[in-house]
């Protein structure tokens, strides 16, 4: 129902727009043709795997400590049990904190992704803006991320033009 209303509103705005010009881009296509984006993604994947391995190593260590504790619990005094339990919980907490540090909402991976991707995204935005101003486009939509676009004429897709403006070949 929401999509139907949204599509109706878009159709009305297009009809009332009259002389306004529109264009489409395919951000996925553009990004796949930018080597710096592929390199940044590979770098993010490598660092993510490295950090994930560190977290998993701590989790494995905690699991081993717990297994050893279960095997030896009958031989331990209350004080030793408590000490071992605290040690296990400390290791689990350390793993949890490391996971949050690396993969949390404001974690290292987020910061790394932002530092690598923001310059690329800014460059694309500026190219789209320049082309839009040059050609008089009032609106440029990304067909890759907007599920509401059912059909878009290839004639108004400026993805290759954006890539050319950025200095990349569009063979």
């Amino acid at each position: 129902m929401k999509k139907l209303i949204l599509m109706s509103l878009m159709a009305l705005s297009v009809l009332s727009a009259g002389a306004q010009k529109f264009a489409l881009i395919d951000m996925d296509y553009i990004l796949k043709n930018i080597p710096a984006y592929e390199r940044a993604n590979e770098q993010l994947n490598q660092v993510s795997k490295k950090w994930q391995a560190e977290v998993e190593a701590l989790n494995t260590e905690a699991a081993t400590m717990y297994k050893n504790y279960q095997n030896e619990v009958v031989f331990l005094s209350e004080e030793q049990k408590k000490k071992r339990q605290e040690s296990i919980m400390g290791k689990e907490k350390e793993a949890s904190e490391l996971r949050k540090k690396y993969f949390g909402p404001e974690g290292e991976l987020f910061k790394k992704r932002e530092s690598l991707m923001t310059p690329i995204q800014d460059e694309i935005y500026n190219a789209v803006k320049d082309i839009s101003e040059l050609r008089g486009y009032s609106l440029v939509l990304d067909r890759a991320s907007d599920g509401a676009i059912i059909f878009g004429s290839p004639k108004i897709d400026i993805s290759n033009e954006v890539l050319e403006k950025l200095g990349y070949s569009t063979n």
Side-chain angles (χ1 to χ4, degrees):
M1 186 66 166
K2 278 185 177 180
K3 277 192 173 185
L4 183 60
I5 293 171
L6 180 63
M7 294 301 290
S8 298
L9 288 174
M10 286 178 65
L12 284 174
S13 66
V14 169
L15 291 173
S16 65
Q20 291 184 350
K21 291 173 64 177
F22 303 94
L24 295 176
I25 60 169
D26 185 334
M27 189 61 85
D28 290 343
Y29 171 76
I30 291 170
L31 291 172
K32 284 177 186 171
N33 283 284
I34 297 178
Y37 176 77
E38 295 298 322
R39 285 190 303 270
N41 258 340
E42 183 57 35
Q43 191 176 352
L44 287 171
N45 287 338
Q46 288 175 358
V47 77
S48 177
K49 285 178 187 175
K50 176 183 170 238
W51 289 341
Q52 184 63 35
E54 288 179 34
V55 171
E56 286 175 8
L58 286 176
N59 282 328
T60 301
E61 192 176 335
T64 301
M65 289 170 69
Y66 181 71
K67 184 178 179 183
N68 291 340
Y69 168 77
Q70 284 184 317
N71 291 336
E72 300 167 0
V73 71
V74 293
F75 305 112
L76 301 174
S77 68
E78 287 304 313
E79 185 178 315
Q80 289 173 322
K81 288 179 187 177
K82 185 176 179 181
K83 194 173 185 180
R84 287 283 218 30
Q85 289 169 352
E86 287 173 356
S87 177
I88 293 166
M89 289 188 305
K91 189 59 70 177
E92 289 171 342
K93 183 178 179 185
E94 185 181 346
S96 176
E97 288 173 354
L98 190 61
R99 179 180 304 282
K100 184 179 177 184
K101 174 186 172 194
Y102 288 150
F103 302 107
E106 295 293 322
E108 296 298 318
L109 188 63
F110 173 83
K111 292 174 186 171
K112 185 90 170 159
R113 177 176 286 118
E114 194 170 71
S115 72
L116 292 172
M117 297 301 183
T118 298
I120 296 168
Q121 291 169 338
D122 289 348
E123 195 176 3
I124 293 169
Y125 171 80
N126 289 330
V128 170
K129 184 180 171 199
D130 290 347
I131 293 167
S132 296
E133 289 173 353
L134 180 69
R135 299 274 176 94
Y137 296 129
S138 301
L139 179 68
V140 178
L141 299 170
D142 179 11
R143 71 170 54 216
S145 66
D146 190 2
I149 298 174
I150 296 170
F151 172 77
S153 171
K155 293 177 186 174
I156 63 169
D157 190 321
I158 61 169
S159 301
N160 285 330
E161 192 173 346
V162 171
L163 284 168
E164 288 171 12
K165 179 130 182 92
L166 293 170
Y168 299 104
S169 173
T170 58
N171 299 352

